[in-house]
């Protein structure tokens, strides 16, 4: 977005504000698809950005949901169940049973989950498609020995069709050898299952964990090396399985910008401090390390001249609420706006958003035709932090808003 667009958005919708650009997100999805062999499917991890699914309809084959709430978000965004993969380490019968027979894929992360899904399928008399999650050495998924046991007994549950394997070992991977090692191990397990049990792994859903560079603008060349390594590892598979890449951070990060305004400036003990109307409750970068690294950001309006070092601090009453330390800025003033880039994935959901009971920021979309529209009003959180007794809110609540921007027509999904 241009300087003029940033300034117009902050003037129209106020700050703090998340802006998600549909044009950038869709272009990124098309770009990623071109990096991998023909026939490779894409699956968007909804947890990366729950505001993004409706913008990705028709651009990815599946949406990974890890909670009933994420599934409901997809439904409201017009994502059919047949395109949802019902995943997650914690599943309950109450949450799963309404989804049986909808065409959704399911994952099993434990023998108990597998037994639950089999029981529900048999109760409803409805076939279910299932992926078994292989662990990468943590609390998620099952080890290869357990998966072999389930495959050996699969005929006892004819309504549950085990389609293949799911595997995810973490995010921000930078080793080209790791893709070959992980996909090679999955291929080896698939070939063993064919040899020992006559079971064909028809699909591998793999989370490559491609990294996002939050702290420099030089990540594209390194990214291409990783994409190439992953693509070659997919081409080397011998088991005949189709491959679905589950991608969240790498797909959504670049579409987001977070806008926050300077509301106070001061000098104390030789240090310059700028207080912002946002903070770490709204913006958390992976690997930021208590602001020891400077994320990509711009200041509006831009000014030239001699610079001073400023600490950009948020609105929370904690010494940890620092977004940037020792940032060189010229002529910083109250009312200036900082635009933090690469804020389209996780940044808006991983912060302590209920601390101090401040409102959640507004969310705006820049639509495919370039038109901005409000997608969510600011949401007061004080009621979430207030006790309720006999159905009544205890005491009274007064909400204070820091800008007087009038209410706007909210974005409605078609």
């Amino acid at each position: 977005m241009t300087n003029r667009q940033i300034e117009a958005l902050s003037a129209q919708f106020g700050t703090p504000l998340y802006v998600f650009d549909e044009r950038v997100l869709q272009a990124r999805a098309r770009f990623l698809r071109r990096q991998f062999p023909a026939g490779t499917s894409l699956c968007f991890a909804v947890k990366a950005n729950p505001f993004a699914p409706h913008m990705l309809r028709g651009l990815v084959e599946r949406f990974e949901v890890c909670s009933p709430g994420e599934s409901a978000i997809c439904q409201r965004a017009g994502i059919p169940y047949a395109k949802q993969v019902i995943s997650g380490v914690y599943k309950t019968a109450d949450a799963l049973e309404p989804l049986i027979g909808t065409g959704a894929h399911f994952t099993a992360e434990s023998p108990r989950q597998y037994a639950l899904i089999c029981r529900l399928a048999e109760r409803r008399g409805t076939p279910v498609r299932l992926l078994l999650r292989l662990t990468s050495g943590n609390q998620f998924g099952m080890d290869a020995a357990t998966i072999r046991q389930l495959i050996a007994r699969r005929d006892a549950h004819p309504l549950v069709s085990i389609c293949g394997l799911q595997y995810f070992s973490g995010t921000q991977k930078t080793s080209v050898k790791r893709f070959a090692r992980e996909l090679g191990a999955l291929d080896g397990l698939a070939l063993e299952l064919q040899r020992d049990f006559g079971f064909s792994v028809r699909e591998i859903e793999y989370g490559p964990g491609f990294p996002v560079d939050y702290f420099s603008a030089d990540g594209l060349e390194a990214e291409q090396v990783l994409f190439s390594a992953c693509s070659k590892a997919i081409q080397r598979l011998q088991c005949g399985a189709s491959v679905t890449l589950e991608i969240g951070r790498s797909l959504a990060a670049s579409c987001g910008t977070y806008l926050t305004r300077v509301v106070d400036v001061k000098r104390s003990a030789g240090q310059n401090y700028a207080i912002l109307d946002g903070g770490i409750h709204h913006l958390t970068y992976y690997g930021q390390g208590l602001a020891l690294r400077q994320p990509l950001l711009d200041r509006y309006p831009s000014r030239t001249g001699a610079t001073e070092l400023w600490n950009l601090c948020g609105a929370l009453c904690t010494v940890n609420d620092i977004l940037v330390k020792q940032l060189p800025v010229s002529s910083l003033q109250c009312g200036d706006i900082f635009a933090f880039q690469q804020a389209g994935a996780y940044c808006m959901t991983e912060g302590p958003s209920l601390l101090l009971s401040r409102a959640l920021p507004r969310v705006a979309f820049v639509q495919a035709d370039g038109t901005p529209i409000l997608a969510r009003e600011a949401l007061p959180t004080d009621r979430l932090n207030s006790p309720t007794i006999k159905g009544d809110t205890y005491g009274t609540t007064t909400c204070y808003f820091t800008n007087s921007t009038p209410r706007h027509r909210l974005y409605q999904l078609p």
Side-chain angles (χ1 to χ4, degrees):
M1 289 184 286
T2 66
N3 293 5
R4 181 175 297 180
Q5 288 173 323
I6 292 291
E7 291 174 351
L9 284 164
S10 60
Q12 182 176 0
F13 299 121
T15 59
L17 177 73
Y18 300 118
V19 182
F20 302 128
D21 194 324
E22 183 174 359
R23 301 165 299 180
V24 174
L25 181 65
Q26 294 182 349
R28 180 67 175 177
R30 296 186 183 100
F31 167 79
L32 286 171
R33 186 172 295 283
R34 295 193 297 268
Q35 308 309 306
F36 306 106
T40 304
S41 298
L42 297 181
C43 176
F44 177 63
V46 174
K47 60 181 175 290
N49 187 333
F51 289 92
H54 80 279
M55 293 185 275
L56 290 170
R57 289 177 302 194
L59 295 174
V60 300
E61 282 74 23
R62 288 185 188 163
F63 294 82
E64 187 89 6
V65 303
C66 294
S67 71
E70 288 188 349
S71 183
I73 287 169
C74 283
Q75 281 298 105
R76 287 193 290 271
I79 309 300
Y81 287 118
K83 288 185 173 292
Q84 296 183 35
V85 182
I86 311 303
S87 192
V89 71
Y90 172 50
K91 298 182 178 76
T92 67
D94 289 343
L96 292 185
E97 188 160 17
L99 302 178
I100 301 294
T102 62
H105 279 70
F106 294 81
T107 69
E109 298 216 17
S110 69
R112 187 181 183 90
Q113 277 194 7
Y114 177 73
L116 171 62
I117 293 168
C118 291
R119 186 165 66 250
L120 294 175
E122 291 158 5
R123 181 188 301 173
R124 298 288 292 270
T126 304
V128 167
R129 292 174 294 178
L130 184 69
L131 297 168
L132 301 179
R133 181 165 182 174
L134 176 67
T135 186
S136 60
N138 48 38
Q139 72 268 39
F140 300 102
M142 301 170 280
D143 59 28
T146 302
I147 287 176
R148 288 173 60 87
Q149 292 172 5
L150 296 181
I151 294 296
R153 301 195 298 264
R154 67 190 184 280
D155 290 343
H157 304 285
L159 287 176
V160 175
S161 175
I162 301 176
C163 302
L165 303 172
Q166 183 192 52
Y167 183 83
F168 182 79
S169 64
T171 189
Q172 296 292 84
K173 298 177 189 173
T174 58
S175 169
V176 295
K177 295 181 179 179
R178 193 165 177 180
F179 303 117
R181 184 168 65 248
E182 293 178 346
L183 283 166
L186 288 166
D187 193 31
L189 177 58
L191 293 172
E192 289 178 9
L193 295 175
Q194 173 67 51
R195 181 195 66 203
D196 297 341
F197 306 107
F199 174 78
S200 294
V201 173
R202 301 191 299 277
E203 178 184 345
I204 291 173
E205 183 180 301
Y206 174 62
F210 295 127
V212 169
D213 194 341
Y214 293 112
F215 309 107
S216 78
D218 302 324
L220 185 58
E221 184 175 347
E223 177 176 86
Q224 290 288 167
V225 172
L226 295 173
F227 292 158
S228 177
C230 184
S231 180
K232 290 177 182 177
I234 292 172
Q235 292 172 325
R236 286 194 292 266
L237 293 177
Q238 300 179 35
C239 65
S242 63
V243 175
T244 298
L245 296 178
E246 179 200 332
I247 302 177
R249 188 185 305 274
S250 179
L251 176 51
S254 59
C255 81
T257 304
Y258 173 71
L259 305 182
T260 179
R261 190 184 307 270
V262 177
V263 294
D264 199 1
V265 294
K266 59 186 174 182
R267 185 172 180 81
S268 180
Q271 293 284 319
N272 292 321
Y273 296 96
I275 307 302
L276 309 175
D277 60 3
I280 60 170
H281 53 322
H282 299 161
L283 185 74
T284 302
Y285 284 111
Y286 187 99
Q288 191 172 1
L290 295 176
L292 295 178
R293 306 175 71 187
Q294 180 183 316
L296 298 170
L297 77 163
D298 296 293
R299 190 272 299 268
Y300 302 95
S302 60
R303 300 188 186 94
T304 59
T307 63
E308 293 184 284
L309 297 179
W310 286 84
N311 300 302
L312 304 186
C313 305
L316 298 181
C317 293
T318 167
V319 295
N320 294 324
D321 193 6
I322 304 176
L323 291 178
V324 184
K325 290 181 178 178
Q326 302 297 292
L327 177 69
V329 184
S330 61
S331 304
L332 186 65
Q333 300 175 16
C334 284
D336 288 355
I337 293 168
F338 284 95
F340 289 81
Q341 302 172 26
Q342 299 280 51
Y346 296 107
C347 292
M348 81 298 295
T349 55
E350 290 192 334
S353 56
L354 296 183
L355 184 60
L356 246 65
S357 300
R358 292 194 175 274
L360 296 180
R362 291 183 175 95
V363 176
F365 293 152
V366 177
Q367 300 174 102
D369 62 0
T371 304
I373 191 167
L374 192 67
R376 184 188 75 187
E377 258 292 3
L379 291 180
T381 65
D382 56 286
R383 288 187 179 273
L384 300 178
N385 287 338
S386 298
T388 55
I389 301 174
K390 296 183 179 179
D392 296 321
T393 301
Y394 180 78
T396 59
T397 302
T398 303
C399 298
Y400 298 91
F401 294 91
T402 57
N403 77 63
S404 57
T405 306
R407 294 181 65 87
H408 304 270
R409 180 174 63 86
L410 291 179
Y411 181 89
Q412 291 185 335
L413 294 173

